[in-house]
Amino acid sequence: TGLPPTPVELERFATDFARDRVAALAAQADLLLASPRFGEHWARRWMDLVRYAETHGSEGDPEIPNAYQYRDYLIRAFNADVPIDRLIREHIAGDLLANPRISNEGVNESLIGPAHLRMVDHGFQPVDTLDDKIKAVDNQIDVITKAFLALTVSCARCHDHKFDAVSQKDYTALYGIFGGV
């Protein structure tokens, strides 16, 4: 959960562990996995990968309205044990899934996944709007490929990769996808 156990929790575990080690460990694992803090802890790690922010980080540092909805979506997904392949699909194209994940409250959870793509450096009035768009799309490509492919594809904007099979043509194809949304 990211938090140390309370003295009461520690004492209870120590007592249970002294009686039956295997049962105590299994019970503790179940308890920790059932905690809402579990989702909070692991969502923090995920948010680092996709560069979660509540502001755009440029002049005036404009707020990203409703960014908390993405954060809460991640916490719910981790606490619901959403499979990793499903979570990645939601992050890349959650708005296009034929069978979106709908919450008990009727919220289309899959639709929230791509929200991280909007969390890029963005100013109030860019001097060069085309350059601003190029930087934003490049950032999206960088985040998606680093987080989900473990590759730095963004550098293929200027040159073919020397060791990885990523070309400028591949980068341009990705740019065409992200630049059009």
Side-chain angles (χ1 to χ4, degrees):
T1 66
L3 299 171
T6 66
V8 172
E9 291 169 334
L10 208 61
E11 183 62 35
R12 185 183 65 237
F13 177 73
T15 303
D16 293 346
F17 190 79
R19 270 185 286 190
D20 185 348
R21 292 177 181 201
V22 174
L25 289 171
Q28 188 63 30
D30 290 342
L31 186 68
L32 291 171
L33 290 171
S35 167
R37 305 291 87 75
F38 172 82
E40 292 172 6
H41 180 70
W42 287 104
R44 284 180 48 228
R45 305 300 196 263
W46 190 280
M47 289 187 295
D48 285 345
L49 292 174
V50 297
R51 300 179 190 163
Y52 172 82
E54 294 187 2
T55 64
H56 284 293
S58 59
E59 81 273 354
D61 202 22
E63 180 183 339
I64 300 174
N66 303 312
Y68 70 91
Q69 291 180 4
Y70 173 77
R71 178 200 65 214
D72 293 352
Y73 149 82
L74 277 179
I75 293 169
R76 288 190 303 271
F78 280 106
N79 283 335
D81 202 21
V82 173
I84 188 75
D85 60 329
R86 175 66 187 210
L87 200 56
I88 291 171
R89 280 189 198 95
E90 288 180 1
H91 274 70
I92 295 172
D95 56 330
L96 301 174
L97 295 177
N99 297 308
R101 190 167 52 89
I102 308 295
S103 72
N104 293 336
E105 294 78 29
V107 175
N108 182 342
E109 295 282 352
S110 300
L111 192 59
I112 303 171
H116 72 96
L117 292 171
R118 188 64 183 111
M119 296 174 185
V120 296
D121 185 28
H122 172 67
F124 286 119
Q125 295 181 342
V127 176
D128 183 342
T129 54
L130 180 58
D131 184 55
D132 201 51
K133 178 182 178 178
I134 290 168
K135 283 192 286 187
V137 173
D138 184 58
N139 184 276
Q140 292 169 340
I141 291 169
D142 195 39
V143 166
I144 289 286
T145 57
K146 281 181 178 175
F148 304 126
L149 299 176
L151 288 173
T152 54
V153 172
S154 187
C155 60
R157 173 180 173 187
C158 302
H159 58 85
D160 292 345
H161 270 226
K162 187 172 183 177
F163 300 108
D164 297 317
V166 180
S167 67
Q168 283 181 293
K169 185 177 179 180
D170 296 329
Y171 177 88
T172 305
L174 279 172
Y175 188 95
I177 292 167
F178 288 106
V181 293

